[in-house]
Amino acid sequence: MVMPWALEMTLARPNVKNIVLVEGVRTPFLLSGTTYSDLMPHDLARAALQGLLHRTAIPKDVVDYIIYGTVIQEVKTSNVAREAALGAGFSDKIPSHTVTMACISSNQAMTSAVGLIAAGQCDAVVAGGVEFMSDVPIRHSRKMRKTMLSLNKAKTLGQRLSLLGSIRLAHLSPELPAVAEFSTSETMGHSADRLAAAFGVSRVEQDEFALRSHSLAKKAQDAGLLQDVISFKVPGRDIVSQDNGIRPSSMEQMAKLKPAFIKPHGTVTAANSSFLTDGASAVLIMSEEKALAMGYKPKAYLRDFVYVSQDPKDQLLLGPTYGTPKVLERAGLTMSDIDVFEFHEAFAGQIMANLKAMDSDWFAQTYMGRKSKVGTPPMDKFNLWGGSLSLGHPFGATGCRLVTTVAHRLQKEGGQYGLVAACAAGGQVSDTHPGGVFWLIVLLKNK
Amino acid sequence: MQEPLQQPRAFTKTGTHVNYEVKGDVAVVRINDPNSKVNTLSIQMQKELTDVMNEVWSNNAVQSAVLISTKPGCFIAGADINMIEGCKTAEEVTQLSQEGQNIFEKIEKSPKPIVAAINGSCLGAGLEFVIACQYRIATKSKKTVLGTPEVMLGLLPGAGGTQRLPKMVGLPSAFDMMLTGRNIRADKAKKMGLVHQLVDTLGPGLKSPEERTIEYLEEIAIECARGIVNKKIPLSKEKGMMQKLQDYIMSFEMVRNQIYKTVHGKVMKQSKGLYPAPLKIIECVKAGIEQGPIPGYLAESQNFGQLAKTTESHALIGLYHGQVTCKKNRFGAPQKEVKTLAILGAGLMGAGIAQVTVDKGVHTILKDTTVSGLARGEQQVFKGFNDKTKKRNITSFERDSILSNLTGQLDYSGFEKADMVIEAVFEDINIKHKVLKEIEAVIPPHCIFASNTSALPIKEIAAASKRPDKVIGMHYFSPVDKMQLLEIITTEQTSKDTTASAVAVGLKQGKVIIVVGDGPGFYTTRCLAPMLAEAVRVLQEGVDPKKLDALTTGFGFPVGAATLADEVGLDVAAHVAEDLGKAFGSRFGGGNVEVLKTMVDMGFKGRKSGKGCYVYQPGLKVRDVNPDIEEILEKYKMTPNPAVSSDSDVQYRLVSRFVNEAVLCLQEGILSSPVEGDIGAVFGLGFPPCLGGPFRFVDAFGADKLVEKMRRYEEVYGNQFTPCQLLLDHANDSSKKFHK
């Protein structure tokens, strides 16, 4: 099928189906420990799926596959995709699986969906992500677990008693989910602070960026631009229909905070980092043919993506700088062709460091083997409706929010191309990382 | 970083070693010796520092100062040793010490707070400098270490260190630091109260990581200096409960005296009184605490002067210089870097070699013939790194990624990619030949074949080779990960590039290297053999192993002769004694080889078999003499000659045979220099470090006096004590010295 507009041809690849984003929704993103605190992860995921069903009115048996991303797994619902899908009323004939790839878990869910459609396996796939930080699995210590497991196998009362007798006070201290990168034992915040220092990002610059994020998010929320948010009647609680982490403050207020990770001279604080968040998201991805046949009006094409990874110690959060030029080159575009940028904001310092890296010829030549700098995205196209710093960052769910936001902004702002960058950076306190850094960039063409 | 409110006055002063720049109201003093890889407190450096500091103090615009080194990886590595060596008398050295004390006193009393910003090694006088400053910030870099290594050079911290350190970290920690000389990492230094604040190292940014880290450190130090002036950062830290308690206990003279006594006792036990420096350190600390600063500082400078002129200090400084020499590759860069190293035999040695190789980015193949042997060897390597993980030197992730470079196998697969093969199989020439032929069938033409033999001549091993120019000896010492020495043996056919490559690999493994000529026992084994033969004779003459050990350790050997034989393995010792006996004849006689052979036949192979001269029980540190050997010794009993059997004579009988053989090795050209001879003997065989090695010992003791003693023993025992020609030459001409 030949497309009528010429530019489209340059991005469409021969023998690959056009793949489109039909719809994207998310639950309100709430600070951990607030209204969602008594739920379980699959409850949130189910709410997002029901929201998607409601928005699209897609028949429950048309979907071919469901994929969910999550980071901190609830052990009772390790395949949270399946539990949520069944609960949301999807046909039990639809296979589902769960993926994990740190903070880009739902990006991985989406690109897996794209892969399934491109390979001709499926025509309609639901992808999403969920993170629930109000409750995380805290384990018994290894010694205690070992004793308890041996206890199961103990045959006689004597054996059981002697095992019980072997329990010491130290056995009882619990094991919290890793707060650090497994390979380097460094927390994400610590890494971000070092990165900011390496690029000479000042505290003031970080606070200003955080303030910008909150102010823009507030404006977008007030203007009703965050259409991807669905209302959710929380069991036993009220209906929630707004993110609750958006808090525009003042530079003076922010300046009062002490550094959160590197004391006393660090620059990353609670105010310029993303906060621990509960939330879920979901998108419907289809082949263009199928979407049009079903009478949908797709929001955007999902054109291309690339994953990159770097040294987990010193370049953990530098993915955007490496990934952006790569995906642009693949698509034959330049920075100036992009109308809408959505970058995941793990830390203000991390965003600012990346912007400085992208603006540095020295960095490009020394570490990237390029002749000249990547170039920075213009700020008047950058995260105009807030970002993870203000809207919140449920690790597994952020990717879908970014992609949906790009689609909505392209529609609203009338642009042609959008670019998403999401790095596997953790939240404020607790996250587990597979090591390395992964970047996903999706190019969207306004439909 | 916040910029100061007032406009900074551009004010800089530049010297060759020290310059300073005023940033707002903070003077940033930067040091960098342009002529050396490390900064030392040389005369030039001291002079420029004094000038700059005087300006800082007189400049009214300056409120505080930051002291920082712009040299990557080094703050100040210590005083300039050449400066101390250059002094002719103890008085001159004392004068140097007093000058240092004066400079640092001014620093300590500075009306403007001085913040020391430390990145890289901060040792000796460098440490004494920073502890005189008002505040210390250090980077968490692995290269940042603090310490007082003077004791290892037979000296003491002579610029106020013995006086300030106890006040700063408490008496026990101060003694520990000054008496062991060990390096302290930044995180530990923070815990001890040696530094106030730590700064992270930075990764890639808009500048190179190292450069930006130093800049970042400077920025933080400047803020800190301002904070101190504004009273936002207190200089005196609120003491914790433990600290208060410790201070209280230490306030009793009785407790302090007990500490001095205990420390003194420990030092005497470990050093046998052969090292004056540790005792002087205790004396200086005691003088400062018990009598006050004036006698304290005086004791420090005078003792420093005296120590610098002791033979022990000369010996230790000689070893230091020798070590530096033996850490260089005098054969140049090899044509091809070794990227894959294969090791044959996963025994104690083979696995040890693997352990020191695999973490240097070299793909290491460990091959054995049996699954059980291989498993034992791989476990040894794993344990080595796992222990480092437990001590938090490396993370478990680093451990795993290091071990990913190790391949354990039973066949020769992958040998076609090997750049070097080191064999550590059983010491039997036929087995070595068999292995060599098998290997040469599978390795590429450029691959080097190295033998880790301790006595078999390399020439004989190379006789079976198709390419003898690629055959070399690499003699490691057990335990490989602890012993610093590597003895490389070249034959006449070994090519220069092969030698260069072997040295390069050894240096990468962190070894101190001597390169010696080929011959039975090479250098180290050849020196040790006559001494062990003498030790066996001593045992046969009725001296019990414990007494023998006491005599040898009393002379300064870190390990007694009987214990050493057990450690080496009595089977190995018997084997070597027999081989070298055949090669060198009666000169290597003395004790009866049958004594060792009988012991081996009875299963007494030393520590590895649980019994040797001693009985070893797992978990027990105290060990008894093996009762069964009395019978053997009784059987081979010899009657001692009272004329040469005093304790001192026994010591000199043991040592003179060692030394004579070493000198003979130089005479025969096995050794290319006395320096290598000294380094090999001290680092490989435990020759007393306080004597500086056999050659320095001859220089200091006097060749004539040694020859005189040997002649006396020669009369009783014969040619085993005949001095070699080179030793005689030195005895006849007292102006001849091995070390200038």
Side-chain angles (χ1 to χ4, degrees):
Chain A
M1 186 168 81
V2 177
M3 286 291 175
W5 49 92
L7 195 61
E8 185 62 28
M9 287 300 296
T10 63
L11 291 188
R13 279 187 285 152
N15 306 324
V16 176
K17 284 186 200 171
N18 281 331
I19 296 164
V20 293
L21 175 77
V22 176
E23 185 57 276
V25 299
R26 64 181 175 93
T27 68
F29 286 176
L30 301 190
L31 297 160
S32 292
T34 57
T35 314
Y36 295 152
S37 61
D38 296 327
L39 300 179
M40 280 179 68
H42 70 282
D43 294 327
L44 278 177
R46 189 178 64 232
L49 286 174
Q50 279 174 325
L52 189 69
L53 279 173
H54 182 73
R55 280 268 173 98
T56 57
I58 193 164
K60 288 176 178 175
D61 53 357
V62 168
V63 172
D64 299 311
Y65 207 98
I66 297 172
I67 311 171
Y68 249 76
T70 194
V71 177
I72 305 229
Q73 244 172 351
E74 163 61 51
V75 285
K76 285 183 188 161
T77 57
S78 61
N79 188 2
V80 69
R82 178 71 176 164
E83 312 307 336
L86 289 175
F90 277 95
S91 158
D92 59 8
K93 304 286 188 294
I94 305 174
S96 351
H97 80 263
T98 303
V99 294
T100 188
M101 200 174 184
C103 301
I104 52 172
S105 295
S106 62
N107 301 95
Q108 182 52 258
M110 286 185 288
T111 55
S112 299
V114 168
L116 285 172
I117 296 170
Q121 287 275 323
C122 302
D123 276 317
V125 180
V126 169
V130 61
E131 205 64 48
F132 187 67
M133 296 302 293
S134 291
D135 180 35
V136 293
I138 296 172
R139 302 198 294 181
H140 272 298
S141 68
R142 180 88 188 236
K143 280 177 185 159
M144 189 67 182
R145 289 182 343 245
K146 208 171 166 184
T147 313
M148 290 163 95
L149 288 170
S150 310
L151 210 55
N152 279 340
K153 292 181 198 145
K155 292 200 174 65
T156 65
L157 184 65
Q159 282 175 347
R160 280 187 205 116
L161 284 176
S162 90
L163 277 169
L164 286 173
S166 73
I167 296 172
R168 299 278 170 274
L169 203 61
H171 286 44
L172 298 174
S173 62
E175 223 172 64
L176 293 162
V179 294
E181 189 79 1
F182 181 74
S183 58
T184 58
S185 312
E186 188 179 29
T187 62
M188 211 44 59
H190 201 272
S191 185
D193 207 321
R194 285 199 307 118
L195 183 74
F199 284 92
V201 180
S202 72
R203 166 80 181 266
V204 172
E205 281 176 288
Q206 295 179 45
D207 285 355
E208 275 171 359
F209 186 84
L211 187 59
R212 172 189 188 270
S213 180
H214 280 277
S215 310
L216 289 175
K218 179 84 175 114
K219 239 165 87 183
Q221 192 178 47
D222 290 348
L225 295 173
L226 307 178
Q227 305 148 27
D228 55 339
V229 180
I230 54 159
S231 287
F232 173 26
K233 166 69 181 72
V234 182
R237 304 272 194 118
D238 285 341
I239 293 178
V240 180
S241 47
Q242 271 199 337
D243 304 325
N244 72 357
I246 306 173
R247 295 172 184 178
S249 170
S250 67
M251 288 300 285
E252 293 72 34
Q253 285 293 327
M254 291 172 89
K256 282 183 190 162
L257 286 182
K258 287 197 170 144
F261 302 97
I262 297 185
K263 292 156 190 173
H265 52 261
T267 51
V268 173
T269 68
N272 60 37
S273 318
S274 52
F275 48 86
L276 290 184
T277 315
D278 300 337
S281 55
V283 294
L284 175 61
I285 297 173
M286 294 174 96
S287 65
E288 185 181 32
E289 257 176 291
K290 176 87 171 181
L292 294 177
M294 287 186 72
Y296 285 118
K297 197 162 173 272
K299 290 184 189 265
Y301 289 108
L302 299 178
R303 275 298 174 216
D304 211 339
F305 60 86
V306 64
Y307 287 85
V308 298
S309 74
Q310 285 88 32
D311 151 36
K313 176 141 176 74
D314 287 329
Q315 305 206 20
L316 183 63
L317 303 166
L318 276 179
T321 311
Y322 286 89
T324 303
K326 225 170 155 181
V327 79
L328 287 175
E329 272 155 33
R330 271 176 71 98
L333 295 176
T334 64
M335 205 65 127
S336 56
D337 293 323
I338 305 296
D339 303 301
V340 166
F341 290 90
E342 278 294 323
F343 276 36
H344 163 50
E345 304 166 344
F347 299 91
Q350 164 254 334
I351 289 282
M352 297 308 292
N354 272 290
L355 293 179
K356 293 200 181 205
M358 292 168 107
D359 199 29
S360 162
D361 284 326
W362 187 86
F363 186 87
Q365 287 155 5
T366 313
Y367 293 102
M368 298 175 69
R370 290 171 58 93
K371 287 201 181 75
S372 61
K373 64 187 178 186
V374 174
T376 47
M379 290 313 275
D380 58 359
K381 295 178 180 174
F382 189 86
N383 292 10
L384 290 186
W385 294 356
S388 298
L389 285 171
S390 47
L391 301 170
H393 173 37
F395 309 140
T398 292
C400 291
R401 174 187 71 74
L402 291 167
V403 169
T404 308
T405 305
V406 168
H408 288 166
R409 275 184 58 199
L410 283 170
Q411 283 181 331
K412 186 83 189 168
E413 294 164 19
Q416 275 217 311
Y417 299 107
L419 188 146
V420 163
C423 75
Q428 214 168 326
V429 185
S430 167
D431 192 3
T432 51
H433 282 266
V437 178
F438 309 87
W439 261 84
L440 161 77
I441 318 268
V442 182
L443 271 168
L444 299 154
K445 167 72 173 70
N446 193 10
K447 183 75 187 165
Chain B
M1 283 297 123
Q2 228 171 329
E3 278 305 308
L5 294 175
Q6 74 266 43
Q7 202 56 32
R9 262 177 61 193
F11 190 88
T12 59
K13 179 182 170 65
T14 313
T16 54
H17 290 52
V18 185
N19 66 58
Y20 96 102
E21 177 189 356
V22 179
K23 286 197 164 179
D25 55 358
V26 183
V28 180
V29 180
R30 301 193 182 95
I31 49 181
N32 194 349
D33 183 342
N35 309 319
S36 167
K37 268 193 206 166
V38 293
N39 290 326
T40 52
L41 275 181
S42 58
I43 293 182
Q44 177 73 13
M45 182 77 87
Q46 285 183 24
K47 191 188 159 296
E48 289 192 23
L49 261 172
T50 314
D51 289 351
V52 165
M53 286 317 296
N54 283 336
E55 286 210 34
V56 167
W57 284 316
S58 62
N59 186 341
N60 290 331
V62 171
Q63 300 289 320
S64 57
V66 166
L67 176 72
I68 194 165
S69 156
T70 52
K71 194 176 284 293
C74 178
F75 180 74
I76 296 174
D80 181 4
I81 298 182
N82 299 328
M83 176 176 82
I84 298 167
E85 285 180 301
C87 294
K88 294 208 171 54
T89 62
E91 287 68 37
E92 269 181 64
V93 186
T94 298
Q95 175 102 34
L96 272 185
S97 163
Q98 279 165 350
E99 279 161 20
Q101 287 178 348
N102 290 339
I103 298 176
F104 293 161
E105 191 190 354
K106 276 194 203 154
I107 298 282
E108 186 177 38
K109 294 193 174 145
S110 168
K112 301 173 181 177
I114 303 168
V115 176
I118 307 159
N119 179 53
S121 48
C122 173
L123 303 170
L127 182 89
E128 294 179 282
F129 194 170
V130 303
I131 61 174
C133 294
Q134 281 68 35
Y135 203 83
R136 286 162 294 283
I137 303 178
T139 64
K140 291 183 196 165
S141 162
K142 280 194 172 167
K143 286 182 183 161
T144 301
V145 288
L146 295 91
T148 46
E150 288 90 344
V151 72
M152 296 200 265
L153 300 178
L155 300 169
L156 53 75
T162 64
Q163 307 301 302
R164 285 193 188 93
L165 211 48
K167 284 186 195 147
M168 187 163 291
V169 297
L171 209 45
S173 299
F175 274 137
D176 179 57
M177 278 180 75
M178 288 191 284
L179 297 176
T180 63
R182 67 193 171 91
N183 285 345
I184 292 169
R185 283 194 311 229
D187 50 348
K188 178 83 199 297
K190 170 94 186 336
K191 278 189 198 129
M192 289 170 67
L194 203 53
V195 299
H196 296 85
Q197 219 188 102
L198 297 180
V199 170
D200 283 280
T201 55
L202 300 180
L206 298 180
K207 289 177 180 168
S208 77
E210 185 78 31
E211 194 185 345
R212 175 64 193 142
T213 298
I214 293 175
E215 203 179 83
Y216 180 53
L217 172 67
E218 185 182 301
E219 288 165 7
I220 291 165
I222 291 174
E223 278 306 297
C224 206
R226 290 202 183 108
I228 295 168
V229 172
N230 301 337
K231 308 259 185 265
K232 276 186 191 151
I233 297 173
L235 283 178
S236 56
K237 211 180 109 192
E238 184 70 25
K239 282 183 177 174
M241 198 56 199
M242 282 307 290
Q243 189 63 42
K244 279 183 186 162
L245 195 67
Q246 195 184 351
D247 287 355
Y248 175 72
I249 296 171
M250 290 295 168
S251 66
F252 295 102
E253 197 186 342
M254 198 182 71
V255 176
R256 293 199 304 271
N257 280 334
Q258 189 56 42
I259 290 180
Y260 301 135
K261 216 177 116 189
T262 316
V263 173
H264 190 273
K266 260 193 188 167
V267 166
M268 283 307 286
K269 195 173 164 221
Q270 284 178 8
S271 72
K272 314 282 173 195
L274 296 169
Y275 295 82
L279 301 175
K280 294 288 183 194
I281 289 172
I282 300 172
E283 197 181 305
C284 295
V285 171
K286 197 172 166 183
I289 291 178
E290 306 304 329
Q291 296 165 38
I294 294 170
Y297 279 98
L298 188 65
E300 184 184 88
S301 60
Q302 286 185 339
N303 283 325
F304 187 74
Q306 284 172 24
L307 284 175
K309 290 292 139 194
T310 54
T311 54
E312 289 84 0
S313 177
H314 289 161
L316 292 168
I317 289 177
L319 285 175
Y320 169 78
H321 287 311
Q323 211 181 339
V324 172
T325 312
C326 293
K327 286 236 176 209
K328 287 184 184 141
N329 193 345
R330 62 182 154 102
F331 299 90
Q335 281 165 18
K336 201 166 185 312
E337 192 190 354
V338 172
K339 289 192 175 132
T340 300
L341 178 76
I343 298 159
L344 297 180
L348 221 51
M349 288 306 258
I353 299 167
Q355 190 186 329
V356 297
T357 312
V358 71
D359 61 340
K360 311 300 187 309
V362 177
H363 175 220
T364 310
I365 298 173
L366 187 60
K367 183 203 171 298
D368 204 283
T369 48
T370 64
V371 175
S372 61
L374 183 63
R376 196 217 62 82
E378 285 193 83
Q379 178 59 28
Q380 182 187 332
V381 180
F382 173 81
K383 187 174 179 297
F385 289 105
N386 199 39
D387 287 350
K388 283 191 183 175
T389 308
K390 282 185 188 158
K391 284 185 199 149
R392 295 178 186 235
N393 287 341
I394 56 171
T395 64
S396 61
F397 175 80
E398 283 167 323
R399 175 198 65 202
D400 297 343
S401 83
I402 287 168
L403 289 172
S404 71
N405 263 332
L406 181 74
T407 318
Q409 58 190 51
L410 299 171
D411 57 15
Y412 286 119
S413 64
F415 274 57
E416 70 279 359
K417 290 206 186 97
D419 301 305
M420 180 183 280
V421 176
I422 301 178
E423 67 79 15
V425 300
F426 192 70
E427 292 271 74
D428 177 318
I429 190 74
N430 296 322
I431 295 180
K432 304 258 185 203
H433 280 168
K434 181 174 161 276
V435 160
L436 176 62
K437 281 178 189 154
E438 276 177 23
I439 294 288
E440 285 193 346
V442 288
I443 54 176
H446 74 273
C447 181
I448 291 165
F449 181 90
S451 172
N452 174 51
T453 173
S454 54
L456 292 175
I458 304 302
K459 214 167 11 208
E460 284 177 31
I461 295 174
S465 171
K466 283 186 286 184
R467 40 193 178 198
D469 60 312
K470 298 278 182 199
V471 179
I472 197 165
M474 289 174 86
H475 178 202
Y476 290 86
F477 293 77
S478 185
V480 181
D481 59 319
K482 300 263 157 46
M483 296 295 282
Q484 280 179 281
L485 190 72
L486 168 63
E487 182 180 33
I488 289 179
I489 305 105
T490 58
T491 69
E492 277 159 16
Q493 286 173 294
T494 308
S495 75
K496 192 183 155 222
D497 185 61
T498 300
T499 313
S501 190
V503 174
V505 167
L507 288 178
K508 210 180 245 184
Q509 291 167 334
K511 297 293 169 197
V512 174
I513 296 170
I514 61 170
V515 180
V516 304
D518 194 21
F522 325 124
Y523 169 63
T524 51
T525 311
R526 185 170 156 186
C527 290
L528 189 61
M531 181 167 135
L532 282 183
E534 194 59 29
V536 172
R537 170 154 58 200
V538 170
L539 289 175
Q540 282 176 268
E541 288 179 351
V543 174
D544 108 54
K546 279 203 168 164
K547 171 87 192 220
L548 174 62
D549 273 355
L551 288 175
T552 26
T553 54
F555 200 77
F557 283 89
V559 178
T563 309
L564 184 65
D566 274 2
E567 292 289 338
V568 171
L570 293 173
D571 51 339
V572 177
H575 202 78
V576 168
E578 209 173 10
D579 275 2
L580 294 189
K582 275 182 207 153
F584 294 110
S586 57
R587 194 174 82 240
F588 273 55
N592 193 334
V593 182
E594 290 304 316
V595 174
L596 292 173
K597 279 184 155 178
T598 316
M599 286 174 78
V600 173
D601 287 345
M602 291 178 75
F604 307 148
K605 292 182 183 170
R607 179 188 274 280
K608 60 189 169 191
S609 66
K611 276 183 182 178
C613 296
Y614 294 97
V615 180
Y616 298 89
Q617 282 166 311
L620 270 185
K621 272 206 165 170
V622 194
R623 31 170 223 236
D624 294 319
V625 174
N626 184 356
D628 299 328
I629 65 164
E630 273 176 37
E631 236 175 85
I632 305 170
L633 292 174
E634 190 59 37
K635 191 174 154 198
Y636 294 100
K637 193 173 167 59
M638 289 158 113
T639 319
N641 183 330
V644 291
S645 297
S646 72
D647 283 359
S648 158
D649 278 331
V650 170
Q651 286 176 327
Y652 279 105
R653 272 163 53 194
L654 291 162
V655 172
S656 63
R657 289 189 66 180
F658 186 120
V659 171
N660 187 43
E661 204 59 39
V663 177
L664 189 55
C665 282
L666 182 64
Q667 180 185 316
E668 289 179 0
I670 295 278
L671 279 177
S672 60
S673 71
V675 170
E676 285 184 298
D678 282 344
I679 292 292
V682 173
F683 288 94
L685 305 172
F687 192 88
C690 56
L691 302 177
F695 294 95
R696 200 168 286 277
F697 166 71
V698 172
D699 282 353
F701 186 76
D704 48 345
K705 276 163 73 189
L706 186 65
V707 165
E708 190 189 313
K709 278 188 190 287
M710 289 183 76
R711 291 291 187 207
R712 211 150 52 74
Y713 307 143
E714 190 184 12
E715 271 177 37
V716 178
Y717 296 112
N719 71 339
Q720 289 137 21
F721 287 97
T722 308
C724 67
Q725 190 54 47
L726 186 58
L727 190 59
L728 286 174
D729 292 348
H730 277 241
N732 293 335
D733 179 356
S734 64
S735 71
K736 279 196 171 167
K737 297 279 180 201
F738 291 112
H739 294 281
K740 293 287 165 284

